[in-house]
Amino acid sequence: GSALIRLAIADAKTNPNCANPLTCPVYGIRPTSILTVGNIITGVIAGVTMPIMGALVDHTDHRKIIGAASAFIMTLSVGLQIMISLDTWFTVYVLEIIGGYFLIMHQVTTMAYLPDLTHDLTEMGHYTSMFMIRQYFVQGIYTSVVVAFSQGLEMKNLDTAKLAASLAFAIGVVLLGYSWTFLFRKRPKLRQVPPNSNIFTTGFKQIYVTTLTVFRQYKALKWLMVALLFSPEAGAGTVLAIAVTFLTSYVKMEVNEIATVSLVMLFSNIPGALISKLMCRKVNPLNSFRMAEILFAITNALIAATVTGPERKRLVYFYSALVGVAFGWMFPSQRTLAVAIIPKGQETEIMGLISFFGQVLGWLPAMVFTAMNEAGVNMRWGLSSLSFFLIVSCLFTFLCGSFEDAVKMVEHTSDAYLERFSIKDVEVGGSILKEVAEEEEAAEAVDEGKGNNANAVGQLPPQDSDNGDVVNQEKEVALESTTTVTGDIVSDVREKERNLQ
């Protein structure tokens, strides 16, 4: 990102009529607006097409194919950015937009697998925290390698960008390739395409219907989704685009300095994720999410107020640690909260809706920042607008009510969900009884044949009574065993579900 801004500025310098390359337009916009405009384009396209992608995930059995394809295109777009130069920067810029779009699509697809893991709130908090910790750890190692080689070999900005693209491509090929080949499973389609609909329209209809249902029946979930309209989503890259623009254009940081800031932030994400796991358990996921948003908003406001120019760039390293903690804290809490207040049996459908609400206006902070930058407003004010969106998001969460009431509101869906499991268990038990009955009939037929033969030759007395007792005993044992197993399964599932809260 930083290299693209520098190349756009260098391109503006080639214009003989340009007095200030920071303000001279390149392709109709200022060079310092390149990243945020790309983020807006990605966000708008994703918001429009996400319902179609959601329909493909839900109404076809191609979820794994979609995830693998998005991972492939995303990784390829990063690999091709190795060709970045003054002559090819705009092509690389287009590849960055394409990669950003498929990153969002990849996130939506992988999020659809999240509810399959568990319905236990504590376990879900553990999973989300551990996922984020592993993600941040790998990103931290990646950034460390880039910084070490860049500083050790005294690389220029452009060479550092090429190294970063090469390494990211290699990591993507190995990890994403392995994951989608061996780890993610093919999932059956969740529902049929309704009559008089097609795969392109049913997604929009489903979002409309599901939104009406949520807004009418689930108060807490409704206001959480409204809050997510203003909360920056990790996959959208909005905060990253604004931060890189600010650090490159206003603070005048070099590429390796920005990489160091990223490194501090990434490793600070790990304690943030651990704080999320702790606070979700101590004060509940809703309050944990609010606290993380407030920390992020305050830190961002302090950056805008105190980092007044290149001479104060050292403060950025301290603030990046706080931002890292806030990021690592906020997103696991958000996901744990969402899973806790979603009606059971509708997880995939509503997780898709939550992803939609989190992305559909994800470009808005970038739009405000770009508009202020194009109008010549000090970039610090543009950066401070992020705090406004975070505070608005936090205020909407207070309309959710208490977390305990939100969980109680979906308890009846847990009972219905368990009832379906119980029916399946009874069906399993019924099949066992059926097999016992068939074996009983076969035994009776054999016994009847033996009895007839004995009567015919006059050598053996009838054995029906004894054999009948044996068969009845076997039947009673099988029935008692089956009933016990089925009852244990149902009791275990019910007990586990009722103890979640």
Side-chain angles (χ1 to χ4, degrees):
S2 178
L4 285 173
I5 294 175
R6 297 175 194 280
L7 290 172
I9 293 173
D11 197 1
K13 290 179 179 179
T14 61
N15 184 352
N17 298 321
C18 178
N20 184 359
L22 294 177
T23 59
C24 292
V26 178
Y27 294 97
I29 57 175
R30 290 186 176 190
T32 51
S33 297
I34 284 291
L35 292 187
T36 51
V37 168
N39 181 263
I40 294 169
I41 295 171
T42 300
V44 171
I45 296 175
V48 172
T49 59
M50 191 176 293
I52 299 175
M53 297 301 297
L56 289 171
V57 170
D58 285 351
H59 293 83
T60 72
D61 57 358
H62 302 320
R63 183 190 301 185
K64 181 175 180 179
I65 295 175
I66 294 170
S70 63
F72 173 78
I73 297 173
M74 176 178 64
T75 305
L76 181 63
S77 68
V78 172
L80 293 175
Q81 292 180 35
I82 299 172
M83 66 179 179
I84 188 170
S85 67
L86 183 60
D87 296 326
T88 62
W89 76 265
F90 189 75
T91 302
V92 171
Y93 176 62
V94 174
L95 288 170
E96 181 78 7
I97 294 174
I98 294 172
Y101 171 79
F102 282 98
L103 172 62
I104 295 175
M105 292 300 102
H106 185 264
Q107 183 186 39
V108 170
T109 307
T110 53
M111 284 288 289
Y113 283 92
L114 190 60
D116 293 345
L117 297 177
T118 181
H119 293 287
D120 188 304
L121 181 59
T122 302
E123 288 183 3
M124 183 57 71
H126 171 76
Y127 281 137
T128 53
S129 296
M130 291 301 101
F131 290 157
M132 298 300 281
I133 287 173
R134 284 164 172 76
Q135 174 185 330
Y136 298 145
F137 179 77
V138 172
Q139 290 177 340
I141 295 299
Y142 158 78
T143 307
S144 300
V145 173
V146 172
V147 171
F149 274 90
S150 175
Q151 294 182 350
L153 300 178
E154 298 182 352
M155 290 182 171
K156 296 181 179 179
N157 292 328
L158 197 57
D159 294 330
T160 302
K162 291 181 178 180
L163 171 65
S166 303
L167 187 57
F169 174 73
I171 293 174
V173 168
V174 174
L175 297 185
L176 293 175
Y178 177 78
S179 298
W180 286 105
T181 302
F182 300 106
L183 301 182
F184 285 99
R185 298 178 181 178
K186 186 176 181 180
R187 302 289 295 164
K189 57 185 174 183
L190 299 178
R191 56 181 68 87
Q192 299 289 338
V193 176
N196 302 320
S197 297
N198 57 62
I199 200 67
F200 297 104
T201 60
T202 191
F204 293 96
K205 292 179 181 179
Q206 188 63 44
I207 283 180
Y208 174 74
V209 172
T210 306
T211 301
L212 284 181
T213 301
V214 169
F215 275 48
R216 289 172 179 172
Q217 298 182 17
Y218 304 105
K219 171 187 172 184
L221 191 56
K222 172 182 72 175
W223 288 113
L224 173 63
M225 292 195 301
V226 173
L228 292 181
L229 290 172
F230 300 92
S231 178
E233 176 60 40
T238 300
V239 175
L240 182 62
I242 293 174
V244 171
T245 300
F246 178 77
L247 296 178
T248 302
S249 306
Y250 189 81
V251 187
K252 308 296 183 185
M253 280 188 159
E254 299 295 326
V255 170
N256 60 346
E257 291 177 315
I258 295 176
T260 304
V261 169
S262 300
L263 186 63
V264 173
M265 187 179 74
L266 286 169
F267 280 114
S268 299
N269 288 159
I270 296 175
L274 294 175
I275 291 173
S276 172
K277 182 180 178 180
L278 175 66
M279 298 307 290
C280 283
R281 201 167 56 241
K282 294 292 185 182
V283 300
N284 76 53
L286 178 57
N287 286 328
S288 179
F289 179 55
R290 290 168 179 160
M291 294 165 68
E293 284 197 308
I294 291 172
L295 174 62
F296 193 2
I298 292 174
T299 303
N300 186 76
L302 288 173
I303 295 173
T306 60
V307 182
T308 55
E311 68 280 359
R312 308 201 71 178
K313 67 171 64 175
R314 290 185 178 180
L315 288 174
V316 174
Y317 297 103
F318 168 71
Y319 288 132
S320 64
L322 293 180
V323 171
V325 171
F327 253 76
W329 183 355
M330 184 165 64
F331 295 112
S333 298
Q334 172 192 314
R335 287 166 173 77
T336 305
L337 171 61
V339 171
I341 63 177
I342 284 177
K344 301 298 179 290
Q346 304 176 53
E347 293 92 344
T348 302
E349 177 182 348
I350 295 182
M351 283 299 284
L353 185 64
I354 289 174
S355 295
F356 175 78
F357 270 77
Q359 300 283 2
V360 67
L361 293 182
W363 48 268
L364 194 56
M367 173 69 82
V368 172
F369 181 89
T370 302
M372 296 176 75
N373 183 50
E374 291 291 313
V377 177
N378 191 300
M379 203 170 283
R380 290 163 59 200
W381 287 105
L383 179 68
S384 66
S385 66
L386 275 176
S387 295
F388 168 78
F389 285 102
L390 287 162
I391 293 298
V392 169
S393 174
C394 184
L395 290 175
F396 273 120
T397 65
F398 285 95
L399 298 175
C400 293
S402 73
F403 175 74
E404 291 75 16
D405 291 341
V407 173
K408 288 180 180 178
M409 196 173 294
V410 297
E411 276 183 348
H412 69 284
T413 63
S414 296
D415 292 336
Y417 183 81
L418 280 173
E419 187 63 28
R420 288 199 295 275
F421 272 103
S422 300
I423 290 172
K424 290 179 181 179
D425 293 331
V426 171
E427 288 175 352
V428 171
S431 66
I432 296 173
L433 287 175
K434 183 178 179 182
E435 292 177 2
V436 171
E438 290 174 350
E439 292 176 0
E440 173 191 341
E441 291 176 359
E444 288 177 349
V446 172
D447 292 336
E448 183 178 354
K450 290 180 179 179
N452 291 337
N453 291 335
N455 291 332
V457 298
Q459 295 177 346
L460 295 174
Q463 303 295 320
D464 293 352
S465 176
D466 293 339
N467 287 332
D469 291 340
V470 173
V471 170
N472 287 335
Q473 290 175 4
E474 290 177 352
K475 179 180 177 180
E476 290 173 1
V477 171
L479 177 60
E480 181 180 355
S481 175
T482 302
T483 304
T484 302
V485 171
T486 303
D488 290 343
I489 293 172
V490 175
S491 298
D492 289 345
V493 174
R494 287 187 180 278
E495 185 66 24
K496 183 178 180 181
E497 194 72 10
R498 287 171 181 170
N499 287 334
L500 294 183
Q501 318 309 328

